[in-house]
Amino acid sequence: MFERPDGGERAILVSMTLTRFAEQASLDEFVELAHSAGVITATKVTGTRNAPDPHSFVGRGKLEEIEALLQEHQAEVVLFNHALSPAQERNLERALQCRVLDRTGVILDIFAQRARSFEGKLQVELAQLKHLSTRLVRGWTHLERQKGGIGLRGPGETQLETDRRLLAGRIVRLVLA
């Protein structure tokens, strides 16, 4: 499902300490996960917040720092040691102009690389599709609604519904296989 370049991608790893939450994912463990996924760690960004920013998880200042580091290290991807909401992931990708993956995405990528049996590959594809299905919302904003009113749907809404239906159909076929 994911296309991988032949060489390792350069990545910036982001790990925030959230003071309101007792359980924290280990940065050392995340570095090893990133290494297992085949990325080259360009640099690590750490920080402390009381709670995640609803828009970008890290806040405006840290986002600008990550943006500068992307340019400086010529990194292609930013990996977060946290679960990002679909909106946060989209906002980060829009702001940073690169691919952004959360911890779940990194783990799914590792499983996709290492699945060997047919059943294993199907299970990984099913997990990836379920993860992707939550990230389809407003993926077709370039096809905004052209007309308003009851019964008149724009091409963007129709495309999103088509994507959801195709994705749901594939999930059903994998579950029944």
Side-chain angles (χ1 to χ4, degrees):
M1 182 165 180
F2 294 115
E3 293 182 22
R4 288 180 199 73
D6 294 333
E9 290 180 287
R10 295 183 58 79
I12 293 178
L13 307 184
V14 179
S15 183
M16 302 295 289
T17 302
L18 302 173
T19 56
R20 286 192 188 168
F21 302 95
E23 188 176 321
Q24 296 290 327
S26 165
L27 177 59
D28 293 334
E29 178 186 341
F30 189 61
V31 169
E32 290 301 319
L33 278 174
H35 179 70
S36 296
V39 300
I40 300 164
T41 302
T43 188
K44 295 174 244 175
V45 176
T46 59
T48 304
R49 291 185 63 90
N50 286 334
D53 179 71
H55 182 263
S56 65
F57 193 87
V58 292
R60 188 172 293 141
K62 196 59 76 173
L63 189 59
E64 290 171 1
E65 179 184 340
I66 294 168
E67 216 172 351
L69 289 170
L70 273 168
Q71 299 300 318
E72 180 183 335
H73 294 281
Q74 298 176 350
E76 296 98 15
V77 65
V78 178
L79 306 178
F80 277 78
N81 189 18
H82 309 278
L84 298 174
S85 72
Q88 287 170 333
E89 193 172 310
R90 275 191 307 278
N91 292 337
L92 286 164
E93 285 181 346
R94 191 174 298 126
L96 299 172
Q97 297 294 308
C98 72
R99 210 162 38 112
V100 174
L101 285 174
D102 63 358
R103 187 178 180 91
T104 304
V106 173
I107 292 170
L108 286 173
D109 189 63
I110 293 168
F111 280 125
Q113 289 179 39
R114 298 182 182 202
R116 297 289 177 245
S117 69
F118 180 71
E119 184 178 275
K121 290 178 183 179
L122 286 179
Q123 287 176 345
V124 170
E125 183 181 358
L126 179 61
Q128 286 177 326
L129 289 173
K130 285 182 177 180
H131 185 67
L132 177 65
S133 68
T134 63
R135 279 138 170 78
L136 278 180
V137 179
R138 294 186 54 80
W140 292 88
T141 53
H142 63 285
L143 299 172
E144 288 292 338
R145 292 176 62 144
Q146 294 176 346
K147 298 178 184 176
I150 298 172
L152 300 174
R153 298 175 185 210
E157 190 173 351
T158 305
Q159 182 63 54
L160 184 59
E161 289 173 353
T162 302
D163 290 346
R164 282 189 181 136
R165 185 174 38 78
L166 291 172
L167 193 63
R170 179 66 181 152
I171 289 173
V172 167
R173 284 192 300 279
L174 286 174
V175 169
L176 297 177

